[in-house]
Amino acid sequence: MIQKLFFNNYLLMLPVISWAVAQLLKTLLTLAMTRKFEPERLVGSGGMPSSHSALVCSLFVGTAKKYGASSPYFAITLVLAMIVMYDAMGVRLETGKQAKLLNRIIDDLREEGQDIGYDKKLKELVGHTPFQVLSGALLGILIAILIPVF
């Protein structure tokens, strides 16, 4: 039942495919740049390209293809895409910058011998630069254009 629902739903499959392609590209780019395989990149947020942007952009383009650009469904998915991409470049990018700074402060305090009572590093890669968001958006749009409506 779930398999039939999932594989027969264009507007569900399209974003999932776009997200997976973006995550795979993110992993391969990280591997090429660092020469290290980081499995977290397969599912993690942040980095190049933005899988969030790919997902929501493929959804709004797929919705336009299926229902037309004048449909209320298209309007909803376009607004959702704008919110997600704005958040990725704004709030989440700033959160990552703050995490990086806090991690440095914590490391400095530890070097001074102070116990702060927190052992884990904060996740620094949570947001996106405008270029990463644009790259993800273009990827999602391309995938939506290439995969026909069913």
Side-chain angles (χ1 to χ4, degrees), residues 6-149:
F6 180 73
F7 289 108
N8 290 331
N9 189 331
Y10 176 73
L11 292 178
L12 181 58
M13 286 290 298
L14 192 59
V16 170
I17 290 168
S18 298
W19 174 85
V21 169
Q23 289 298 125
L24 182 61
L25 286 172
K26 189 183 301 191
T27 304
L28 293 174
L29 286 171
T30 301
L31 178 63
M33 291 171 52
T34 65
R35 305 249 189 252
K36 290 191 306 187
F37 174 67
E38 297 181 29
E40 192 274 337
R41 295 286 72 214
L42 287 169
V43 293
S45 60
M48 169 71 179
S50 167
S51 57
H52 290 88
S53 297
L55 184 149
V56 293
C57 285
S58 69
L59 180 61
F60 90 76
V61 171
T63 302
K65 286 173 64 177
K66 188 162 180 121
Y67 296 108
S70 62
S71 75
Y73 307 120
F74 174 75
I76 291 167
T77 57
L78 179 60
V79 170
L80 173 68
M82 293 184 330
I83 291 168
V84 167
M85 291 186 292
Y86 178 80
D87 179 68
M89 290 185 297
V91 175
R92 290 191 310 117
L93 182 60
E94 290 303 314
T95 299
K97 290 177 184 177
Q98 292 169 4
K100 187 178 277 190
L101 180 61
L102 285 170
N103 283 335
R104 279 194 212 144
I105 292 169
I106 291 168
D107 288 344
D108 290 347
L109 290 173
R110 283 196 182 119
E111 285 179 17
E112 294 174 3
Q114 294 185 35
D115 180 21
I116 61 160
Y118 191 78
D119 294 333
K120 293 195 287 184
K121 281 204 172 274
L122 298 171
K123 186 173 169 144
E124 297 176 6
L125 195 56
V126 292
H128 296 283
T129 65
F131 181 73
Q132 292 168 340
V133 168
L134 176 64
S135 298
L138 292 174
L139 176 64
I141 290 168
L142 178 66
I143 289 170
I145 289 169
L146 294 176
I147 296 178
V149 176

